[in-house]
Amino acid sequence: MVLQPITSFLLHPIIFYLVENLVTTLVIGFTSPSSIVRPAVFPLHFVCVWKVLPTCPEMLYRIPWAGIVGGHIIVSLYHYVEVALISKWSFESQGPTSSATPEGLDVKDKPNGGDRATRQMDHGVSFWERLMFGYFGATSTRNIGTPYIVKNTPSFSSKNPDYIPSRAAFLLRKAILIISAFLVVDLASQPAQTLEQNAVLYSAETVPILGGNGENLTGEKILSRFVTVLGYWVCTWLVIDGYSSFLYFVFVGLGLEDVRLYRPNFGPISEAYSIRQFWG
């Protein structure tokens, strides 16, 4: 009985998520591109995914938060394949070693306006530098602040691409977003109907949108479907932005990273007028 709380803590989905990111961090920061360790630890990612997905809904209570942890742990698995096994990022090269420099290299995107590898040769390499580079490789999917930045990454201002907010303004905006996202998603997670009402609104007969003679397609059901779809996309946006904003707030607030490395996750909604613009 004494060990049960400890066991529950160690088997929590968040712990496996942190372990998965820690493995990627150590591999990218402390192993060579050809190291046998990289493919050897790959099965650990599958173990983390296998342990997290079945337990997320019951241990995280709120479906949106369970969804983002489950989604991120799968993304982290794919990301490990990309940065550790395919592109083979390494600390020594400060980037990928198995692919050519991407088209559209922009020198101003290099961290602190200079070559990190050159600076490291000047003053040596510390454990902390390797650890932070490994963390960057484990968590960055857009490679902001490097010559390998992903195309079409949004800037802080669509009118002035060179604009970078002050640290205080950045932290204030992220704090407001974190609180708003938590409150709205938590409110949306509360059941609006009873199980009996849900059985009627979402029964098998109401699934076809244009099927049958239209007798079952009432105004209430049309409104319900519209609100459900709209609520899904709004909550998805808030969960993604709220989760990432929390991490940005911590790292910028503690002075571990620069504001310019944490550009917005999404571009202006006004530009999402086509499928290509929406996903691009």
Side-chain angles (χ1 to χ4, degrees), residues 44-244:
L44 289 177
H45 289 270
F46 280 104
V47 173
C48 291
V49 171
W50 174 63
K51 296 296 293 185
V52 163
L53 293 185
T55 59
C56 264
E58 61 184 66
M59 298 191 74
L60 293 177
Y61 306 110
R62 293 287 187 263
I63 294 299
W65 305 119
I68 197 168
V69 172
H72 265 277
I73 202 160
I74 294 177
V75 169
S76 296
L77 183 148
Y78 293 141
H79 187 62
Y80 181 86
V81 173
E82 153 59 18
V83 296
L85 303 179
I86 298 178
S87 300
K88 297 184 178 180
W89 279 59
S90 73
F91 177 80
E92 287 72 20
S93 66
Q94 293 294 297
T97 60
S98 64
S99 59
T101 300
E103 184 179 356
L105 175 66
D106 193 346
V107 177
K108 71 180 181 181
D109 281 323
K110 291 186 177 182
N112 300 325
D115 186 5
R116 294 170 73 175
T118 301
R119 293 197 308 275
Q120 284 148 11
M121 291 176 63
D122 293 339
H123 62 75
V125 176
S126 69
F127 173 85
W128 180 252
E129 288 174 325
R130 284 187 173 272
L131 186 66
M132 290 306 296
F133 177 79
Y135 175 80
F136 175 82
T139 57
S140 176
T141 56
R142 300 184 295 175
N143 305 327
I144 299 172
T146 76
Y148 314 101
I149 185 171
V150 173
K151 185 180 179 181
N152 295 330
T153 297
S155 56
F156 286 104
S157 172
S158 57
K159 297 181 180 179
N160 181 15
D162 295 327
Y163 167 74
I164 299 176
S166 66
R167 181 170 176 268
F170 178 85
L171 292 175
L172 177 61
R173 186 177 186 279
K174 292 305 176 185
I176 294 174
L177 182 56
I178 293 167
I179 296 172
S180 302
F182 178 82
L183 292 177
V184 172
V185 171
D186 195 62
L187 179 63
S189 301
Q190 304 299 322
Q193 293 94 15
T194 64
L195 294 177
E196 291 74 15
Q197 290 174 318
N198 283 338
V200 174
L201 288 174
Y202 304 105
S203 62
E205 291 77 13
T206 63
V207 172
I209 297 179
L210 301 176
N213 56 13
E215 293 179 356
N216 292 326
L217 199 59
T218 64
E220 180 186 3
K221 292 175 182 177
I222 293 176
L223 178 61
S224 176
R225 294 179 185 194
F226 174 78
V227 171
T228 299
V229 173
L230 179 63
Y232 167 80
W233 283 108
V234 170
C235 285
T236 299
W237 179 83
L238 287 173
V239 165
I240 294 174
D241 235 17
Y243 164 81
S244 58

Side-chain angles (χ1 to χ4, degrees), residues 1-17 51-52 55-56 58-61:
M1 295 296 292
V2 177
L3 295 177
Q4 186 174 358
I6 300 177
T7 303
S8 299
F9 172 77
L10 294 178
L11 295 179
H12 196 279
I14 297 296
I15 298 298
F16 284 100
Y17 173 69
K51 296 296 293 185
V52 163
T55 59
C56 264
E58 61 184 66
M59 298 191 74
L60 293 177
Y61 306 110

